[in-house]
């Protein structure tokens, strides 16, 4: 079995996020992560390593902002998306608009997260 968890591309500024959103025709999922955030580590360990979760997200562009250091750029990113702290996941549609019901705040176990992806994130996907 494949025990690796999902590979996220790291970004650290709002400008980088905008650029990624403009240059993709995929659903984009942005993960707010921090080293001191226990729930973030649980998401990586249990949820993002789950085969069903990985299957759902194989055509999704995965971005992650590591807000461990909580820089001004991190604060601006969080403020722009009304995120108060990690863990938080936000998804954007293929046009770069936030899928408003897509947010996951706090730890979400794999089964719950998979159901959430099916219901709120992958609904408009072009196969």
């Amino acid at each position: 079995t494949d025990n690796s968890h999902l590979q996220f591309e790291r970004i650290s500024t709002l400008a980088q996020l905008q650029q990624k959103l403009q240059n993709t025709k995929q659903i984009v999922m942005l993960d707010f992560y921090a080293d001191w955030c226990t729930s973030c580590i649980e998401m990586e360990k249990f949820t993002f390593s789950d085969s069903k979760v990985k299957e759902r997200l194989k055509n999704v562009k995965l971005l992650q902002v590591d807000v461990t250091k909580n820089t001004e750029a991190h604060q601006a990113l969080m403020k722009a998306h009304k995120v108060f702290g990690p863990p938080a996941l936000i998804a954007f549609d293929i046009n770069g608009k936030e899928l408003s019901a897509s947010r996951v705040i706090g730890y979400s176990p794999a089964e719950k997260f998979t159901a959430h992806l099916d219901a709120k994130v992958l609904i408009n996907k072009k196969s």
Side-chain angles (χ1 to χ4, degrees), residues 2-6 42-54 110:
D2 176 14
N3 292 324
S4 64
H5 64 71
L6 294 161
E42 289 177 342
M43 284 293 283
E44 297 223 319
K45 202 167 173 180
F46 303 116
T47 306
F48 297 151
S49 62
D50 183 82
S51 59
K52 287 194 179 80
V53 170
K54 289 197 286 196

Side-chain angles (χ1 to χ4, degrees), residues 51-86:
S51 59
K52 287 194 179 80
V53 170
K54 289 197 286 196
E55 173 63 26
R56 297 296 192 286
L57 293 177
K58 68 176 193 285
N59 296 317
V60 173
K61 185 165 188 63
L62 300 171
L63 301 176
Q64 186 176 65
V65 54
D66 179 350
V67 298
T68 302
K69 295 193 171 88
N70 197 23
T71 64
E72 277 181 34
H74 296 156
Q75 289 170 18
L77 245 173
M78 290 197 288
K79 194 173 175 186
H81 295 288
K82 301 182 174 63
V83 167
F84 298 105

Side-chain angles (χ1 to χ4, degrees), residues 27-29 89-93 97-104 112-125:
I27 289 176
V28 172
M29 192 163 227
L89 282 151
I90 306 177
F92 301 88
D93 68 16
K97 296 217 176 351
E98 186 186 336
L99 292 161
S100 57
S102 71
R103 291 181 169 234
V104 174
K112 187 177 169 195
F113 190 66
T114 303
H116 172 79
L117 290 173
D118 287 345
K120 306 291 187 202
V121 178
L122 303 174
I123 33 181
N124 303 320
K125 72 172 194 267

